Amino acid sequence: MEKIFNNKRHQLSAFQISLLGIILGLRIALGFLPSVRIEPFVQIGFGFIGAGLSGILFGPWYALIIGIFNDIIGALLTGQNFFFGYTLSAAVGGFIYGYGFWRQKITLKRVFLVVLVITLFVNLGLGSLWVRMMTGKAWEVFMGMRIIKNAISLFLNTAILYSLFNHPIIKKYIQQYQF
């Protein structure tokens, strides 16, 4: 891992550091957008778009770092209680997006598999564990609704990311600015 950050070939330019800051700002801004609610089953936010962009542009390690900063800054700006578990989830999610998308051909199958791993491991796995720890509620109380919500958002998130990353203008900028 040390080679990734210290190798001259992988040092970030001032432009790339600025782009990291812009992507972080975008992730924070997307977190403030109102969630789309399809009662009573689904509440869909837009933060995953910024996570996907950070992964496709900068790879797993920088997307992990952006995820950590996004969670901490978002908690500070909203005044919500900080919980390290959600920071870990944001970091792992960024890493998975980066690992799955960075310097890869973006096919529907690839996007679906990356979103599926995040849905199962980060959202349903870690996220449900954090809900259980924070609320003390029994698994049966909230897991049914979480499974339905994540099943629906799996397909919506896949469609949105696939469409976004394959849009000709976005695709051009990804190829131009990918680290």
Side-chain angles (χ1 to χ4, degrees), residues 51-179:
L53 280 172
S54 64
I56 200 169
L57 287 172
F58 289 100
W61 296 108
Y62 289 111
L64 178 144
I65 292 167
I66 290 174
I68 291 170
F69 280 115
N70 176 65
D71 187 70
I72 293 169
I73 293 169
L76 290 171
L77 290 175
T78 60
Q80 294 176 347
N81 290 334
F82 176 78
F83 180 63
F84 181 74
Y86 292 117
T87 306
L88 178 63
S89 291
V92 171
F95 184 86
I96 293 169
Y97 276 123
Y99 187 81
F101 292 153
W102 189 48
R103 298 182 178 171
Q104 302 293 328
K105 182 170 173 49
I106 303 301
T107 64
L108 184 58
K109 180 180 177 183
R110 174 173 295 279
V111 175
F112 178 78
L113 290 174
V114 169
V115 175
L116 178 65
V117 169
I118 289 172
T119 298
L120 293 176
F121 182 70
V122 178
N123 298 348
L124 285 174
L126 294 175
S128 298
L129 178 62
W130 310 145
V131 169
R132 170 80 169 102
M133 289 173 67
M134 297 283 289
T135 65
K137 292 183 179 180
W139 295 99
E140 298 83 21
V141 172
F142 60 84
M143 278 308 286
M145 194 62 72
R146 289 183 62 81
I147 290 169
I148 293 168
K149 178 251 186 226
N150 280 284
I152 294 170
S153 65
L154 167 65
F155 295 103
L156 289 174
N157 292 3
T158 298
I160 291 168
L161 288 178
Y162 178 75
S163 299
L164 179 70
F165 292 159
N166 283 291
H167 187 278
I169 294 171
I170 303 293
K171 196 173 193 174
K172 175 186 161 199
Y173 284 120
I174 288 170
Q175 291 169 350
Q176 184 176 354
Y177 296 116
Q178 194 172 55
F179 175 64

Side-chain angles (χ1 to χ4, degrees), residues 18-31:
S18 299
L19 189 55
L20 275 170
I22 291 168
I23 295 295
L24 176 59
L26 176 67
R27 283 198 66 181
I28 292 168
L30 287 170

